[in-house]
Amino acid sequence: MTITSQTDFEELRAIGRIVAQVLAAMGAAIEPGMTTRELDDLGRRLLEREGARSAPELAYRFPGATCISINEEIAHGIPGDRVIRAGDLVNIDVSAEKNGYFGDTGASFPVPPVKSHVERLCRDGKRAMWEGIRAVRPGGRLNAIGERIERFARKGGYTLIRNLASHGVGGSLHEEPEGISTWADPSDRRIIGEGLVFTIEPFLSMGGEMAAEAGDGWTLLADPVAPTVQYEHSLVATKNGPVILTLP
């Protein structure tokens, strides 16, 4: 969506804070021995306490309040009986709706003990996201985001998952502009309009190139299998620079 009023901005910041706080609480609650369903139940309770509704349930009838993906799973993992273990890499994606406005955020959480290459991957996954955010300006090219992220990834020896992209958000969970690449795509000539609301969510990997379906209709795996992280913020492009909506 494109913000057209102060109400838009305030409501988007409100739902953005909610999903950010839920994500942070879920990340802090991760412990070896708990199931992804138990972690998802926490997320559901926190969303409901704030009067928010799970966006994937609302929009797609996803079988969970949040998406929780572990290790070889990189996105859209279904909460269930899988037990989180020491050394796992857990990705949590929290998106929700309140008062007709949507917020979307996500992050990857390594469960101690953390191997050095995973620690580095997580650090650089966050950096890759912020590289993309720094490219945002009204009148600029959407593809400048992907160019900057890919330059960072190549310098660090990483790959990017190239069939999972950023997207417009705000009035619904996924809306125009769809398919905002987090890699260089010279064919994309779209321009960032002032007030445009969208996500930036690169999937930085140590060898994965694509996301492949796992067979349950939802879960996506890195192909080829490799450690992969995702960090995501929703933001609005303003004349004073990008305003991050999904901060606790």
Side-chain angles (χ1 to χ4, degrees):
M1 69 178 289
T2 297
I3 287 178
T4 59
S5 68
Q6 185 63 25
T7 297
D8 286 344
F9 186 72
E10 291 172 357
E11 292 286 0
L12 286 167
R13 293 200 80 161
I15 187 60
R17 281 194 297 270
I18 290 170
V19 295
Q21 289 165 355
V22 172
L23 176 66
M26 292 177 69
I30 295 173
E31 290 184 358
M34 74 187 310
T35 66
T36 55
R37 180 179 289 109
E38 290 171 328
L39 187 59
D40 184 64
D41 286 344
L42 170 63
R44 182 184 300 282
R45 290 195 301 272
L46 294 173
L47 288 173
E48 290 177 349
R49 187 178 70 185
E50 297 294 336
R53 298 187 292 174
S54 162
E57 280 188 338
L58 182 64
Y60 301 113
R61 297 185 179 179
F62 178 75
T66 66
C67 300
I68 304 175
S69 311
I70 299 180
N71 295 338
E72 74 283 357
E73 305 168 346
I74 62 171
H76 305 165
I78 301 172
D81 295 329
R82 183 165 182 174
V83 175
I84 297 171
R85 304 189 184 282
D88 281 348
L89 181 58
V90 181
N91 178 268
I92 304 174
D93 194 305
V94 181
S95 55
E97 176 273 342
K98 185 176 182 179
N99 297 333
Y101 293 86
F102 289 74
D104 190 5
T105 189
S108 297
F109 299 90
V111 183
V114 183
K115 295 180 179 178
S116 59
H117 69 278
V118 173
E119 185 175 26
R120 175 177 175 267
L121 176 63
C122 292
R123 179 200 67 195
D124 288 343
K126 294 174 188 175
R127 289 180 175 177
M129 176 188 65
W130 283 104
E131 283 290 319
I133 290 172
R134 282 191 283 269
V136 174
R137 63 176 182 84
R141 293 177 295 108
L142 273 174
N143 186 46
I145 297 166
E147 288 176 350
R148 190 155 178 164
I149 292 171
E150 181 166 334
R151 189 159 53 245
F152 174 85
R154 288 185 178 276
K155 185 176 180 180
Y158 297 108
T159 57
L160 291 159
I161 301 298
R162 292 178 178 264
N163 59 340
L164 292 175
S166 306
H167 55 88
V169 71
S172 59
L173 179 55
H174 296 100
E175 58 185 49
E176 292 296 331
E178 290 276 17
I180 304 171
S181 67
T182 56
W183 57 91
D185 178 8
S187 68
D188 188 350
R189 301 180 182 276
R190 292 175 293 178
I191 300 299
I192 301 170
E194 185 174 348
L196 185 66
V197 185
F198 59 99
T199 70
I200 293 182
E201 49 178 314
F203 286 78
L204 194 72
S205 182
M206 299 183 71
E209 298 279 356
M210 303 291 282
E213 293 184 4
D216 59 13
W218 294 103
T219 307
L220 298 175
L221 313 175
D223 183 17
V225 174
T228 303
V229 295
Q230 175 245 24
Y231 293 89
E232 175 184 13
H233 273 313
S234 297
L235 57 86
V236 55
T238 78
K239 61 184 178 182
N240 296 318
V243 174
I244 310 302
L245 299 169
T246 44
L247 292 174

